[in-house]
Amino acid sequence: MRDSTNEVLRAIATYGPVSRAQLARDLGLSGPTLTQATKYLFDRGLVTEVEQSPSTGGRPATLLGLVANAGQVLGVKLAEDHAVGVCVNLQSEILWSFEEPFSSRGDDAVKELTQLLRKQTKLIKGQLLGIGIGIPGVVSPLDSSTADSAMLSWNKINVGKQISDALNTPVLLENDVNTLAITESLYGHGRDVSNFLTITLGRGIGMGLVINGELYAGSYGAGEFGHVNAISGGPECECGKYGCLEVIASSPAIHAAALAAGYISRSASMTKLWNIARKDKKIANDLFKKPAELLGIALANVINVFGPELIFISGEGVEGWDLWEETFKKSLYANVVPTMNKFDIEVDPWDDAKWALGATAIVLQASLSRSQSTNASSTEVKNRLRIATKSESRVS
Ligand SMILES: [Zn+2]
């Protein structure tokens, strides 16, 4: 059965204040069904009436909007040596942000992370819906809790459950590239299209796929774009295979190539490498032509299969995007089936806080998702939003 209440909540959360007439039209709901759904949301203090004056003058319209403070969410993005986080309300407004040192490789990594999060949860006034954690690695789609990450040196660690038990709060983990894709689908240009891809360039190469408006999770994970084969019989990758895109086109791979060619010293940063390449066409060509070509071909292959309308390119590596762009686009368009080359490309500047915001979006999405939850934490987030907010009602 279709969950009209959830559809209404999702539409209001995604598009902001909206009239009843428009909701009925957009969602194809009858008057009585819409009234029943909005009454449920009103009773739980999730939705309120807001007046908005039309810019053309005339009578103010009564619109339905979210009660922003009916729930709060913590989001954290983990790197091997630090954690960046934000606390947001239901409208994804950032209430505060934090950055803490964190050592993912230590024996007490989960304990350390729990402590760090406990400190933040104590600052929350009102209902904490849950904690979202974005990690550079694979998260089991079955429980959104078990994580594998070469970058963090985590091997099948049940992080979510351990933290959830310790803090008595739902905890959802997600691959960090997927958190970016969810953010785009809820708040960015991704909300205007049904099918899009987010790719990230940097330490690794990742992909988030949004298909029919929902993040595609696969049965055993998905979006391992860095590990599609780019060169048959190429160098060994940390995944154990040979010739992966990541061993050619990730920042460490390009750094290693620059070092081997004598263009930089071992300690040089990527920023320094990009600046050297910008000043010398030959160096730029040596270091970026092949990676850009292979990235274009690999992405074209995915586009030919999924036919997306929009491609987001992000990650810390996009700071050097000017060195990739020309060759990448030439290679991409040369390899996409001509009838499918109507997609737009949007290059997003790198921003740590955006990834943390993405981690909050996992929790907000779990509360709004169309699909039935497959794990206990997602269900608990929904319950907290729908039931616990009763005590918070009329707070705006
Ligand atoms: Zn690989």
Side-chain angles (χ1 to χ4, degrees):
M1 198 183 75
R2 190 173 164 201
D3 182 355
S4 313
T5 311
N6 203 49
E7 290 286 317
V8 171
L9 184 62
R10 186 182 163 95
I12 297 173
T14 310
Y15 296 102
V18 57
S19 71
R20 286 182 170 84
Q22 189 172 348
L23 276 174
R25 226 180 7 253
D26 289 356
L27 302 175
L29 297 176
S30 69
T33 309
L34 180 64
T35 304
Q36 199 182 22
T38 52
K39 182 175 181 308
Y40 182 91
L41 297 170
F42 268 104
D43 287 351
R44 275 150 187 82
L46 280 172
V47 164
T48 187
E49 285 187 336
V50 289
E51 291 213 326
Q52 211 165 66
S53 302
S55 53
T56 50
R59 255 183 351 129
T62 303
L63 305 179
L64 301 179
L66 274 191
V67 177
N69 293 324
Q72 294 176 6
V73 174
L74 278 176
V76 192
K77 144 100 172 134
L78 294 183
E80 55 191 296
D81 58 355
H82 71 283
V84 182
V86 291
C87 178
V88 301
N89 63 20
L90 282 189
Q91 286 178 336
S92 262
E93 292 161 339
I94 295 178
L95 305 175
W96 71 82
S97 54
F98 56 94
E99 181 168 347
E100 300 259 358
F102 158 70
S103 170
S104 75
R105 291 169 190 256
D107 287 342
D108 288 331
V110 178
K111 222 184 238 169
E112 198 188 326
L113 184 58
T114 307
Q115 280 307 105
L116 186 161
L117 290 167
R118 192 191 302 277
K119 205 166 92 188
Q120 297 299 326
T121 58
K122 286 190 175 150
L123 302 173
I124 287 175
K125 298 184 182 75
Q127 177 66 35
L128 174 62
L129 292 183
I131 300 173
I133 304 177
I135 71 146
V138 181
V139 175
S140 160
L142 297 177
D143 61 7
S144 298
S145 167
T146 311
D148 263 309
S149 168
M151 220 178 284
L152 300 180
S153 294
W154 286 3
N155 185 11
K156 296 223 178 331
I157 300 189
N158 199 348
V159 193
K161 172 127 181 32
Q162 290 182 49
I163 299 176
S164 175
D165 288 350
L167 300 181
N168 194 23
T169 297
V171 174
L172 295 173
L173 262 73
E174 183 56 89
N175 167 272
D176 54 7
V177 181
N178 285 347
T179 69
L180 269 193
I182 294 170
T183 308
E184 297 294 357
S185 76
L186 281 179
Y187 313 111
H189 288 141
R191 72 187 191 183
D192 303 322
V193 299
S194 301
N195 302 300
F196 70 87
L197 307 175
T198 294
I199 68 167
T200 56
L201 278 185
R203 165 84 169 75
I205 296 179
M207 176 178 278
L209 300 99
V210 171
I211 297 172
N212 293 329
E214 298 271 349
L215 184 75
Y216 178 72
S219 293
Y220 307 104
E224 290 293 341
F225 186 50
H227 303 285
V228 299
N229 188 272
I231 293 186
S232 180
E236 189 175 6
C237 177
E238 61 181 20
C239 74
K241 302 196 295 106
Y242 291 83
C244 293
L245 184 60
E246 211 159 278
V247 295
I248 315 292
S250 65
S251 294
I254 292 169
H255 193 277
L259 183 66
Y263 296 143
I264 56 164
S265 65
R266 190 172 294 279
S267 61
S269 65
M270 282 308 285
T271 307
K272 183 156 189 200
L273 185 158
W274 292 322
N275 285 335
I276 289 171
R278 281 177 185 122
K279 287 186 199 125
D280 188 320
K281 262 213 136 87
K282 181 183 177 308
I283 295 181
N285 210 46
D286 281 357
L287 297 180
F288 290 93
K289 190 163 182 282
K290 199 79 203 163
E293 245 172 47
L294 293 174
L295 180 72
I297 293 170
L299 184 60
N301 289 341
V302 180
I303 290 171
N304 290 343
V305 174
F306 288 103
E309 291 162 77
L310 189 54
I311 314 288
F312 293 99
I313 302 175
S314 189
E316 72 269 22
V318 299
E319 276 178 54
W321 184 245
D322 51 311
L323 294 156
W324 296 75
E325 191 167 10
E326 199 186 327
T327 312
F328 163 78
K329 282 195 170 160
K330 225 165 135 181
S331 157
L332 177 72
Y333 286 105
N335 288 287
V336 167
V337 173
T339 51
M340 297 174 93
N341 69 3
K342 298 177 186 74
F343 53 86
D344 289 321
I345 298 176
E346 194 173 307
V347 180
D348 278 350
W350 163 250
D351 178 358
D352 235 3
K354 193 169 179 185
W355 291 60
L357 191 62
T360 67
I362 322 166
V363 179
L364 289 169
Q365 210 215 20
S367 67
L368 300 170
S369 173
R370 285 194 188 101
S371 35
Q372 282 293 331
S373 307
T374 52
N375 67 67
S377 280
S378 292
T379 309
E380 172 63 11
V381 172
K382 274 194 173 170
N383 289 342
R384 285 194 175 202
L385 184 63
R386 301 277 177 81
I387 297 162
T389 47
K390 244 178 173 169
S391 59
E392 291 278 307
S393 59
R394 310 296 167 246
V395 178
S396 63

